[in-house]
Amino acid sequence: MQKRILRVLSLLLTLVLLTGCTAQRARSKKKVRIGVSVYDSYDTFIAELTGAFRENAALQQGSVQIEMSDAARSQELQDKAVRQMLDNGCDIICVNLVDRTAPGKIIDMAKKKDVPIIFFNRELVEEDLERWNKLYYVGADARESGVIQGRLAAAYLKAHPEADRNRDGVIQYVVLEGEAGHQDAILRTEYATSTLRDEGIALEKLGYALANWNRLQAQTQVRQLLTSYGSRIELILANNDDMALGALDAYRESAVTPPPVFGIDGTNPGLTAVREGSLTGTVRNDSEGQAKAMLALALSLSTGGKCEYPLTEGRYIRLPYEPITAASLSSMTERSGAVSR
Ligand code: BGC
């Protein structure tokens, strides 16, 4: 009798150990679930960034599962989507905030479930990021893009004195701004114009328009500016490529020759316009690099491995911007042609 009891007990013990091992194996093989919530999936730059994120995640041989959600510019919808992702068991959540001043609910919910958050592209203020040690930011330094845009424009104006159409020694310009309150809009405008002035270009601001990063809105706004100023506009500085392209659309439907137009991002349509010569220059906002860095950070946080991208202050990854002109694009193409030859 005693022997029988002992045999049953040892059988039970083996079963417990076996199921334990299987569970452990399953756990170590478990897919990393990454939730990604964007402020607006129709934003060209964000669509390119998330496209690159998916492509790179697909290279992880099925070990990464992505759950995407579009907040359609509503912070309330985004808070709900993040709650759902947490309930669904996401290991990490990447958030492109709708309102960068309102990350409170998301931080509290994530903290409760102990799930790290990587904010990207729309930067929250430092005090918010410091509210918990599992909050991170991936993006770029907006100041740098403004300085590069200013330098590109200054170099162009110096090489093309005819750009000063009325020959008054002053460049009359307009600015197309992204969203009010977005760190990139504020800093790009400020640093592009201050850099132009530092480069010795005298400026007069004719007007500005908020076009929310959007091509159609920029087209409508520039249509208005054209009726007020016509050919007096000698330079257009746009906070991103989509708005620069919207400005060019407005010129295309008018009889006025467009002045030099500069964007920021280097999106696919932006690069095509630079190659064709309609967009005078742009500044590459490295969507691919930011996507790769975000994925690497997400994987290192969920597996406990080392992240190959250095973190500033233990929380920030910022990818550099790069000036783009038709000349730099064609020399890049030649170089890559030379390599493949
Ligand atoms: C990009 C814009 C984009 C915005 C969205 C900026 O960094 O340059 O194209 O619309 O981010 O937050």
Side-chain angles (χ1 to χ4, degrees):
M1 181 66 183
Q2 224 177 352
K3 256 190 187 168
R4 241 174 70 213
I5 295 175
L6 274 176
R7 213 175 310 140
V8 172
L9 276 178
S10 92
L11 199 72
L12 276 175
L13 187 68
T14 321
L15 265 175
V16 168
L17 283 176
L18 269 178
T19 40
C21 285
T22 325
Q24 207 175 341
R25 213 172 306 135
R27 224 175 293 137
S28 62
K29 268 195 172 168
K30 194 187 126 202
K31 282 188 180 186
V32 177
R33 281 182 84 154
I34 307 178
V36 181
S37 165
V38 298
Y39 91 104
D40 179 358
S41 64
Y42 290 100
D43 179 295
T44 310
F45 176 77
I46 296 299
E48 289 189 6
L49 195 159
T50 48
F53 187 78
R54 279 182 209 262
E55 276 166 28
N56 283 281
L59 300 177
Q60 299 294 317
Q61 286 141 356
S63 62
V64 178
Q65 187 183 329
I66 296 177
E67 204 174 305
M68 286 289 303
S69 123
D70 177 8
R73 298 194 184 226
S74 154
Q75 190 56 59
E76 207 186 323
L77 274 186
Q78 184 163 59
D79 293 347
K80 280 190 190 145
V82 170
R83 180 185 298 280
Q84 191 60 58
M85 285 170 176
L86 288 165
D87 290 347
N88 293 351
C90 282
D91 303 292
I92 307 278
I93 302 186
C94 301
V95 179
N96 176 224
L97 278 169
V98 174
D99 179 351
R100 71 185 193 101
T101 64
K105 280 198 183 138
I106 290 177
I107 295 175
D108 292 344
M109 290 187 291
K111 208 169 158 184
K112 232 181 243 163
K113 296 245 178 176
D114 197 28
V115 170
I117 302 277
I118 304 174
F119 292 99
F120 66 102
N121 170 259
R122 297 162 74 89
E123 187 170 348
L124 56 173
V125 292
E126 212 176 323
E127 297 85 79
D128 280 331
L129 204 68
E130 278 168 3
R131 279 180 50 188
W132 186 35
N133 61 0
K134 292 187 180 168
L135 304 176
Y136 302 86
Y137 180 74
V138 174
D141 176 1
R143 251 173 244 108
E144 191 189 349
S145 55
V147 169
I148 297 177
Q149 191 184 53
R151 284 195 193 131
L152 279 175
Y156 180 89
L157 294 168
K158 286 177 190 171
H160 295 86
E162 72 284 4
D164 180 12
R165 292 180 175 179
N166 59 359
R167 312 250 177 251
D168 66 348
V170 178
I171 296 296
Q172 280 75 31
Y173 74 100
V174 303
V175 181
L176 294 174
E177 293 195 1
E179 268 163 289
H182 190 303
Q183 83 281 347
D184 288 349
I186 303 165
L187 295 169
R188 285 173 183 171
T189 303
E190 182 183 334
Y191 281 85
T193 49
S194 65
T195 304
L196 272 158
R197 288 201 174 91
D198 293 348
E199 294 273 340
I201 307 287
L203 291 176
E204 181 193 350
K205 185 170 173 177
L206 287 182
Y208 83 98
L210 270 178
N212 294 309
W213 307 117
N214 181 278
R215 184 168 179 162
L216 257 182
Q217 288 187 37
Q219 180 180 7
T220 312
Q221 300 275 15
V222 172
R223 214 179 272 148
Q224 291 292 327
L225 289 165
L226 268 169
T227 52
S228 312
Y229 303 108
S231 60
R232 284 182 58 209
I233 302 170
E234 296 174 333
L235 169 68
I236 296 186
L237 299 171
N239 284 169
N240 78 345
D241 283 356
D242 263 12
M243 294 189 295
L245 295 174
L248 288 165
D249 294 339
Y251 275 86
R252 235 169 258 132
E253 48 177 45
S254 85
V256 183
T257 310
V261 179
F262 291 87
I264 293 180
D265 274 344
T267 55
N268 291 323
L271 292 181
T272 304
V274 173
R275 243 178 243 116
E276 287 168 2
S278 52
L279 185 59
T280 321
T282 187
V283 184
R284 191 195 298 279
N285 189 3
D286 188 358
S287 54
E288 168 105 34
Q290 290 169 36
K292 283 185 178 163
M294 197 158 85
L295 183 64
L297 178 59
L299 293 178
S300 86
L301 289 171
S302 57
T303 58
K306 201 176 163 327
C307 178
E308 70 219 66
Y309 290 80
L311 293 176
T312 316
E313 295 165 41
R315 293 171 180 280
Y316 293 92
I317 301 179
R318 294 188 201 276
L319 275 287
Y321 283 100
E322 189 195 345
I324 304 277
T325 57
S328 69
L329 281 180
S330 74
S331 75
M332 250 184 252
T333 319
E334 265 167 37
R335 272 205 310 275
S336 59
V339 170
S340 60
R341 238 174 271 139

